[in-house]
Amino acid sequence: MLNRLARYEFSERLADLLGESRRDLRFRVTLMVTGGLVAPGPRGRGSPPATPQYAAQLLIGAMAAPQQAQTVEAIRCYEDLQPAAVAPGGNTPRVLFGPALATADGDEQPAAAIRLDGMRFGEALAQLLELACAEETRPIVAGELFGVWINRGCPVASLQFSAWWQGRRAVFSHTYGLAPGAAPPAWLDPQRGGLVDPGLFHSVFLPVRKLIEIGSLTTLSDDRRNPMLNKLGHKMAAIANMAKLAAKTPHGSRWEKLLSTLASVKAWSDQVDTQESRLREVSAFGSNPGELTMYTYLPASLPANAPLVVVLHGCTQSAASYNKGSGWSTVADRHGFALLFPQQQWNNNPLRCFNWFRPEDNERERGEAQSIAQMVDRMVAEYGIDRRRVFVTGTSSGGAMTSVMLASYPEVFAAGAVIAGVPYRTAKGLQEGLESIFQGRSRSGPEWGALVRAASPHQGPWPRLSVWHGDADTAVKPVNAEELIKQWADVHGLDSRPSVEMRVDGYPRRVWQGADGEELIESYTITGMSHGAALDPGPEPHQCGTAAPFFNAVGISSTHRIAEFWGLLAERPADARAPAAEAAADAQSRAGSPAQAADGTTGAAGPEPHSAGSASPGDRGEPLLRKEPAREAGNEHAEAADGAQAAGRQSMGLDVHGIISASLQAAGLLKPGSRPRSSAPLGIDVPGIISTALEAAGVLKGGAQRSSPFHAGRFSPETLRSAGWEGAGWDLLHDDPRAFRGGSMLYGHASSGDSGAVGARAQSISRRVTLGPRPELSYVRRLDLSAAVNDYTSASFRVLVDGIVVDEVTAIGMVHQENEWLRQSAVDLARFANRQVTLTLEVAAYANIYSTVYAKAWVDQVTISNAVEAAAHC
């Protein structure tokens, strides 16, 4: 048993987390002991440890009891609350996020891993704290639990879980109430002297992040005959079992850490898998001895004799999640080539890793390697793929499997790219595999090369190779990249020393050239990067992908650079132009003049993907809610900030974002030219995060950035219309201190159930916008949706385009409050491309009785990237 905190020490830490007095919590502990809830024990070294069961009782006492003296009675009452039964077809309180996603018939949503069926509230809360205490299950709690809610004015509590419901992300409330015949606490029972005090009887909410912090302070009991871990799905249980086995190996601690990280990767991958996928599953591609699943992606207009890229995911990832993270389908759309995504199955490997270390799967015409080769044959036969231009890449276990495919089927692949992988035949079996990734295996070049030459009857020419690895990778030791280079340098007959060394986007790149100067091997070392693939998320032609676990936004796109190394970017199909070039051409055609590139020539951009072309409205996020520029003296530097960044956000006086960016670059913490953008899909905008944090802390005031006097107020409806918005129930708040970064913001309010009016009530504003070929919407918001009257009342906020919901939050029988600004980035509007549309913001409320239900929304920085034309800005 790992002794973490004693009971009294735990009470002090709990007080800090809850924002309560330490003396208050210590006294409640004393009451629990004197009341017989917990056994007394000595203080100091012999003090009993704080177990999850003890923590659940103290947490209930702190949350449910309005006064200290009521602690013991509150614990006994709320701990015994029974789960409320939901009748078949009944309405469950819930909050829905986002529009419904189209799913194929028969698709099932993933089952929840946490199951608390039949447990009383106290027991269920203790089990959640136990899961939060264990490292291997903590990511499950973070991924599935939303929070804990307790009502002090009525013996009711709920556990709120995040799940998927009819293709939508949702938060469900599992409600607990008094058992039939049970009496409420004395302070709520008038027959026992209860006195209603409205000032005390409010509801208390504990978010999941705080519950996880509380659980991590507890101590697991030695008596775990029925651990909650056994109630989890087989996938997570398998991960936990592998952690127990690995603990006995020399690399047990590193393996356990990796498994804990993989649980987070799996949670994100599962979330992506529930969304609409761009990939299509293909069956009947051969005997499939490796029992893999085949997915494909084909651009809308695939040219004849197109290239093919085989993409292999990493452990706990899926084909769809790897595609979303890496952005391969985005690059395929731009440059016209086909994609093949082999996917591992859970029953083949408990972590869904490709079995690169097993001889039955890493040899020619055997197992998983043969299955992948059969998939390639199917693609070539069905789509007329150019056999001379078939490539393969992968990350982690997918990178190791890439080494397998290049060695065992070298005649199939023109080139490959291994990201955070290992050399071919570095291991035979799982134990050697662990040794290889955690410490590496050193062999001479000829020894490594002999393993490749013996894997097939092929005599050459050999595939070219791109190698990527982070030098801070603790999951797969970076020495594996050097051994991999040694292996293929020997196969190609090259010197061990590189022919050329340079820096690309701030990172070292080495090149090994053949006798004719052809680049046969390249290597990128991403300094400071941990395990995973290097990304540069964003809308630019050289950017793609989504930052996520094992997908690191470091300012360089491995996907784009690999495709460039393979020659896939040399020729661009006419209908696969980059978004910026396409929008510029559209804008120029309306003006009656041809599009002109940066070098003065007419037509497509130059060959250098990072060359700066002339900007057009389609290149940038078009702000529909614009801040007024400040007129401060000495602000010339802020007004002359980087053009690409200024195009995406309006100047608001002092360019704090630009100042922080310049400071970070001067300190070497941010690479020049990386141009972090807040509108990039899940990109990491470090300066934006810092400046927003300063504002939230009160160190930096949005209003203080403005030289004009502060006047908070509403614009008239006429002003709102002149800004391009029309409708009712919404206001344009001017110089409001609650605005995201000062200036103006939109505020909408709708209510039902008050003033003698029930039923559906909605308020909306709209404006017309002309969209380009690849439009995306982003905005920041704060919501207050109050619909906890009964299980049928609702409050919602929706964003619609031509009457179709593109983003939504709806609370049904629940309260949903966003106390901090939330940025919604990269809402895809591709279905409305190249046409004029109506963008609508709507708040709505529905009450079936005379009790107020309301929806309030504060919206700022409404931006549409690739918007060709919009109405007058506000």
Side-chain angles (χ1 to χ4, degrees):
M1 178 177 63
L2 178 61
N3 190 2
R4 298 186 180 179
L5 290 182
R7 289 198 309 220
Y8 279 87
E9 294 175 298
F10 173 80
S11 68
E12 294 185 349
R13 297 289 295 275
L14 180 62
D16 295 339
L17 288 172
L18 298 180
E20 302 288 346
S21 162
R22 289 188 171 188
R23 178 177 295 180
D24 177 88
L25 266 292
R26 285 198 298 268
F27 185 65
R28 291 180 190 269
V29 173
T30 301
L31 291 175
M32 291 170 61
V33 174
T34 58
L37 286 178
V38 294
R43 302 182 69 168
R45 289 182 179 273
S47 178
T51 63
Q53 292 73 24
Y54 167 82
Q57 289 182 324
L58 181 56
L59 186 57
I60 290 175
M63 294 178 66
Q67 297 177 341
Q68 289 178 341
Q70 299 155 348
T71 298
V72 174
E73 188 175 9
I75 294 174
R76 285 176 172 153
C77 175
Y78 281 78
E79 190 177 32
D80 202 43
L81 295 180
Q82 305 294 311
V86 179
N91 205 35
T92 304
R94 58 194 182 274
V95 178
L96 306 177
F97 298 91
L101 300 173
T103 57
D105 294 339
D107 282 0
E108 296 182 359
Q109 303 294 349
I114 301 177
R115 301 299 299 271
L116 305 171
D117 301 339
M119 295 185 186
R120 296 174 301 161
F121 179 67
E123 183 184 4
L125 185 58
Q127 294 285 14
L128 290 173
L129 289 168
E130 184 172 328
L131 288 175
C133 180
E135 290 186 3
E136 67 268 23
T137 52
R138 192 174 300 150
I140 306 174
V141 180
E144 295 194 2
L145 184 68
F146 186 75
V148 180
W149 179 84
I150 288 179
N151 191 335
R152 288 180 171 178
C154 179
V156 175
S158 69
L159 298 174
Q160 298 176 355
F161 288 91
S162 177
W164 287 88
W165 182 80
Q166 296 183 358
R168 307 171 73 180
R169 189 165 63 90
V171 172
F172 284 90
S173 181
H174 293 199
T175 306
Y176 296 80
L178 287 175
W187 77 83
L188 293 175
D189 190 351
Q191 298 181 2
R192 293 186 287 167
L195 180 64
V196 175
D197 186 347
L200 296 177
F201 299 151
H202 59 274
S203 61
V204 182
F205 179 76
L206 183 74
V208 62
R209 61 178 179 84
K210 285 196 174 183
L211 183 132
I212 290 176
E213 290 184 69
I214 295 169
S216 65
L217 299 176
T218 62
T219 302
L220 293 176
S221 170
D222 287 331
D223 182 14
R224 302 196 67 197
R225 290 168 293 182
N226 296 305
M228 185 62 187
L229 189 62
N230 293 336
K231 298 181 182 293
L232 300 180
H234 69 281
K235 301 171 188 176
M236 296 310 302
I239 293 177
N241 290 335
M242 293 188 71
K244 293 179 181 178
L245 292 174
K248 303 176 183 179
T249 71
H251 308 286
S253 60
R254 298 182 66 180
W255 181 234
E256 287 183 346
K257 182 179 179 180
L258 175 58
L259 290 173
S260 178
T261 305
L262 287 173
S264 300
V265 177
K266 177 189 176 297
W268 180 79
S269 182
D270 287 347
Q271 178 181 344
V272 172
D273 288 345
T274 60
Q275 303 170 2
E276 184 178 4
S277 174
R278 307 188 77 189
L279 311 185
R280 182 178 69 90
E281 184 175 355
V282 177
S283 58
F285 54 83
S287 60
N288 191 17
E291 298 182 356
L292 303 180
T293 307
M294 176 180 177
Y295 288 90
T296 64
Y297 179 78
L298 304 174
S301 299
L302 186 69
N305 296 318
L308 171 66
V309 176
V310 181
V311 184
L312 302 172
H313 63 78
C315 296
T316 72
Q317 294 174 329
S318 65
S321 66
Y322 191 86
N323 176 56
K324 183 175 180 66
S326 63
W328 270 108
S329 62
T330 301
V331 180
D333 282 337
R334 293 170 179 168
H335 301 283
F337 54 84
L339 295 173
L340 164 62
F341 292 86
Q343 179 174 290
Q344 181 63 282
Q345 299 193 64
W346 289 103
N347 57 0
N348 288 345
N349 184 290
L351 295 179
R352 201 193 247 174
C353 306
F354 287 103
N355 292 305
W356 54 271
F357 49 85
R358 291 171 36 174
E360 57 268 35
D361 286 303
N362 65 14
E363 294 181 355
R364 185 181 179 93
E365 298 182 355
R366 295 186 67 185
E368 294 172 10
Q370 185 178 358
S371 291
I372 296 172
Q374 291 175 346
M375 295 180 193
V376 173
D377 290 339
R378 167 71 185 268
M379 293 290 291
V380 171
E382 185 168 352
Y383 300 108
I385 297 298
D386 185 352
R387 277 198 174 273
R388 298 168 301 174
R389 293 190 294 167
V390 178
F391 309 90
V392 60
T393 183
T395 300
S396 192
S397 77
M401 199 65 189
T402 297
S403 295
V404 170
M405 298 309 299
L406 291 174
S408 56
Y409 291 92
E411 77 282 5
V412 173
F413 301 102
V418 177
I419 304 173
V422 297
Y424 175 65
R425 281 298 183 90
T426 185
K428 295 181 180 178
L430 177 60
Q431 185 60 40
E432 289 187 3
L434 293 176
E435 294 175 1
S436 296
I437 65 174
F438 290 141
Q439 70 183 32
R441 286 180 175 272
S442 178
R443 291 188 173 101
S444 67
E447 289 176 322
W448 280 124
L451 294 174
V452 173
R453 285 186 287 269
S456 74
H458 186 70
Q459 299 298 316
W462 299 96
R464 299 162 61 227
L465 180 65
S466 179
V467 179
W468 293 70
H469 218 112
D471 68 355
D473 192 337
T474 58
V476 179
K477 197 169 183 178
V479 69
N480 283 285
E482 300 306 313
E483 298 299 305
L484 182 63
I485 292 169
K486 284 165 57 176
Q487 184 173 56
W488 284 91
D490 181 79
V491 170
H492 282 286
L494 302 175
D495 190 84
S496 59
R497 293 171 299 181
S499 307
V500 180
E501 296 185 61
M502 67 193 77
R503 298 188 75 85
V504 177
D505 289 340
Y507 297 106
R509 178 184 184 244
R510 296 172 292 166
V511 178
W512 286 258
Q513 296 175 336
D516 58 355
E518 182 185 13
E519 295 184 350
L520 299 179
I521 301 175
E522 70 168 0
S523 169
Y524 282 87
T525 301
I526 309 302
T527 52
M529 188 182 79
S530 59
H531 189 63
L535 292 182
D536 185 12
E540 299 298 324
H542 64 280
Q543 296 176 314
C544 62
T546 300
F550 285 176
F551 292 104
N552 307 305
V554 293
I556 184 172
S557 172
S558 58
T559 301
H560 181 87
R561 289 292 178 181
I562 289 168
E564 182 181 44
F565 178 70
W566 291 342
L568 297 180
L569 312 187
E571 296 181 4
R572 179 175 303 171
D575 53 358
R577 295 178 295 172
E582 197 168 29
D586 292 342
Q588 294 289 348
S589 64
R590 284 194 303 274
S593 60
Q596 194 167 10
D599 58 1
T601 60
T602 302
E608 174 55 45
H610 289 263
S611 60
S614 56
S616 72
D619 297 332
R620 57 189 75 157
E622 188 70 26
L624 304 184
L625 185 61
R626 177 170 292 188
K627 308 293 186 184
E628 294 295 328
R631 295 289 183 265
E632 291 193 17
N635 199 33
E636 293 84 354
H637 173 71
E639 293 179 357
D642 175 55
Q645 183 171 325
R649 63 176 81 214
Q650 284 302 116
S651 172
M652 295 180 288
L654 289 175
D655 183 10
V656 179
H657 188 282
I659 294 172
I660 295 174
S661 297
S663 301
L664 291 174
Q665 291 176 11
L669 301 178
L670 184 67
K671 294 178 174 56
S674 59
R675 302 186 305 281
R677 303 170 185 269
S678 62
S679 60
L682 294 179
I684 300 179
D685 181 4
V686 178
I689 292 171
I690 295 176
S691 56
T692 303
L694 291 173
E695 293 171 13
V699 178
L700 176 66
K701 304 279 187 191
Q705 299 176 33
R706 308 174 64 85
S707 58
S708 58
F710 176 82
H711 298 290
R714 289 181 169 88
F715 284 161
S716 66
E718 291 75 15
T719 306
L720 195 63
R721 284 194 295 271
S722 68
W725 297 96
E726 295 185 355
W730 285 73
D731 296 295
L732 183 62
L733 306 185
H734 177 57
D735 282 344
D736 194 290
R738 295 167 296 180
F740 181 62
R741 287 182 179 169
S744 307
M745 69 173 173
L746 294 166
Y747 167 71
H749 175 265
S751 63
S752 178
D754 52 358
S755 303
V758 296
R761 297 288 185 272
Q763 305 284 4
S764 64
I765 56 170
S766 303
R767 67 175 300 159
R768 299 289 290 174
V769 184
T770 301
L771 304 180
R774 292 178 176 85
E776 289 183 340
L777 168 70
S778 66
Y779 65 93
V780 293
R781 70 163 192 244
R782 291 178 61 186
L783 302 179
D784 183 0
L785 308 178
S786 179
V789 175
N790 55 55
D791 289 354
Y792 297 91
T793 53
S794 64
S796 66
F797 164 77
R798 301 197 301 173
V799 181
L800 305 95
V801 175
D802 281 353
I804 299 174
V805 178
V806 297
D807 200 15
E808 176 181 10
V809 179
T810 298
I812 302 174
M814 286 178 62
V815 171
H816 175 72
Q817 292 180 322
E818 296 172 354
N819 296 320
E820 299 178 353
W821 286 99
L822 175 67
R823 179 177 294 280
Q824 292 293 93
S825 298
V827 179
D828 188 11
L829 304 183
R831 75 188 94 169
F832 310 104
N834 299 314
R835 74 187 206 213
Q836 190 179 64
V837 299
T838 299
L839 174 68
T840 301
L841 306 180
E842 177 191 90
V843 286
Y846 169 80
N848 54 1
I849 61 174
Y850 294 110
S851 185
T852 303
V853 174
Y854 64 82
K856 299 178 182 179
W858 294 264
V859 181
D860 201 353
Q861 292 195 349
V862 184
T863 302
I864 296 182
S865 64
N866 210 232
V868 176
E869 182 182 359
H873 305 300
C874 59

